[in-house]
Amino acid sequence: YPDLALQVMLGVWIRQELKNSLSVPPRNQFFHCNATKDILHEKELGAMKEMVKVKDWHCKYLLSYAVEEPPNYWMNSMLRCDGKCDPEDQLEIPFRVSPAISNPPREYRKKVRVVDFKNEAYLNTAMNDTIDKYQRCLTSIGYPANIPQYIKGIPIDNKETSQESSSFQSVEIKHRSCLVLTTFIEECLPILTKCLSTSNAEIIRATDALWFVTQVRVVVKDMKDNHEAFEFDHTECEVLGGEVSGAVLAGLARIILVI
């Protein structure tokens, strides 16, 4: 349904524009645009106007996700906005949603206490547990800065030597590269479903998966001893339907990282 798909995309773009309009006075200019009135239902427009009126930061319009070094507050806001692990709404409100916006408006801060990411009341035990387990799983495969060492089998506290770099073989590198993706898909991703709905978990999955695939490709391409000039293709991995398994080296790779 091309027409329906276009209509949905237009709605998404309009909602994204609300976020930008909050920083440009007058705050109500967004609601005078013809496109806004034509695409969004009057009930949603009313909710958006109310949001701007009270200067609240609403998940529906500000929520996003990006790959960041820990602590990744985008992950915090994902869990908090989703609410799967806070079904009775016991956590304090209002709360910060976008790490890209440093502070709510000054006049809003005077009226209401906004719960910050660093505040213990931002997440509950189940949410914190999800973040901790997911982060530890990512770290076990080199995230965010040790993927080159992980793929090459170099202890993370050692510097790469010429002797070590001369011993890399394409078959081994492919196995280690697929191990990164296999661990990510089979061990890390299931952790997200505890406190995230399917749609929000998929946002994180897609973003982090693309980041991992890109990082692995860059590492393989930039290897000084890649005499065979081979390139990594994630579709070769068994976990994604290919023939290259990462399980063979799983034990060795994890031991090297822990040392």
Side-chain angles (χ1 to χ4, degrees):
Y1 305 99
D3 293 338
L4 179 59
L6 177 59
Q7 189 73 8
V8 171
M9 287 304 301
L10 287 173
V12 172
W13 292 333
I14 290 294
R15 293 181 182 92
Q16 289 176 340
E17 283 304 310
L18 175 63
K19 177 176 66 175
N20 299 328
S21 72
L22 290 174
S23 60
V24 182
R27 289 178 177 273
N28 64 347
Q29 62 176 318
F30 176 84
F31 306 107
H32 298 303
C33 300
N34 291 332
T36 303
K37 299 176 182 177
D38 293 340
I39 294 176
L40 299 181
H41 191 276
E42 60 181 20
K43 288 186 177 179
E44 182 172 7
L45 276 174
M48 295 167 78
K49 289 179 180 179
E50 192 65 24
M51 181 190 96
V52 174
K53 179 181 178 182
V54 300
K55 304 176 179 64
D56 200 355
W57 301 102
H58 203 286
C59 293
K60 187 172 184 179
Y61 308 107
L62 298 181
L63 184 62
S64 184
Y65 180 77
V67 176
E68 301 282 352
E69 291 193 13
N72 186 351
Y73 292 129
W74 287 113
M75 180 78 168
N76 293 43
S77 63
M78 271 285 184
L79 291 167
R80 186 63 201 274
C81 285
D82 189 288
K84 183 177 180 179
C85 280
D86 184 32
E88 298 181 3
D89 296 325
Q90 295 182 341
L91 292 172
E92 294 183 33
I93 57 173
F95 54 91
R96 281 185 61 190
V97 172
S98 173
I101 301 176
S102 58
N103 283 302
R106 183 176 301 174
E107 62 269 32
Y108 184 39
R109 296 201 305 271
K110 289 181 178 180
K111 295 180 179 179
V112 183
R113 173 179 177 269
V114 179
V115 183
D116 190 71
F117 297 114
K118 297 180 181 180
N119 192 298
E120 292 183 359
Y122 192 90
L123 301 177
N124 58 26
T125 301
M127 295 174 184
N128 280 316
D129 184 59
T130 295
I131 290 178
D132 180 62
K133 288 182 178 179
Y134 187 65
Q135 187 58 55
R136 281 193 281 115
C137 188
L138 296 184
T139 301
S140 75
I141 49 178
Y143 175 93
N146 296 314
I147 289 182
Q149 292 93 324
Y150 184 86
I151 293 176
K152 298 174 185 179
I154 300 173
I156 59 176
D157 56 349
N158 286 6
K159 292 183 178 180
E160 180 180 334
T161 64
S162 57
Q163 184 178 1
E164 288 171 326
S165 64
S166 64
S167 64
F168 303 137
Q169 301 295 325
S170 61
V171 174
E172 182 179 352
I173 294 301
K174 283 186 178 182
H175 277 294
R176 290 187 183 280
S177 299
C178 285
L179 175 58
V180 170
L181 300 186
T182 300
T183 303
F184 174 68
I185 292 172
E186 295 184 349
E187 298 182 25
C188 300
L189 293 185
I191 296 172
L192 297 175
T193 58
K194 178 182 179 180
C195 283
L196 286 174
S197 60
T198 301
S199 58
N200 283 331
E202 186 58 36
I203 293 174
I204 297 179
R205 287 191 188 110
T207 305
D208 285 354
L210 176 60
W211 185 87
F212 270 107
V213 169
T214 302
Q215 291 298 308
V216 172
R217 284 178 176 172
V218 170
V219 171
V220 173
K221 182 179 180 181
D222 291 348
M223 285 175 58
K224 297 179 181 179
D225 61 335
N226 187 0
H227 303 302
E228 301 175 40
F230 74 91
E231 295 183 357
F232 174 73
D233 185 346
H234 62 280
T235 60
E236 295 182 49
C237 298
E238 186 177 58
V239 72
L240 294 173
E243 298 180 353
V244 181
S245 172
V248 177
L249 296 168
L252 175 60
R254 287 178 182 274
I255 290 173
I256 288 176
L257 270 181
V258 171
I259 293 176

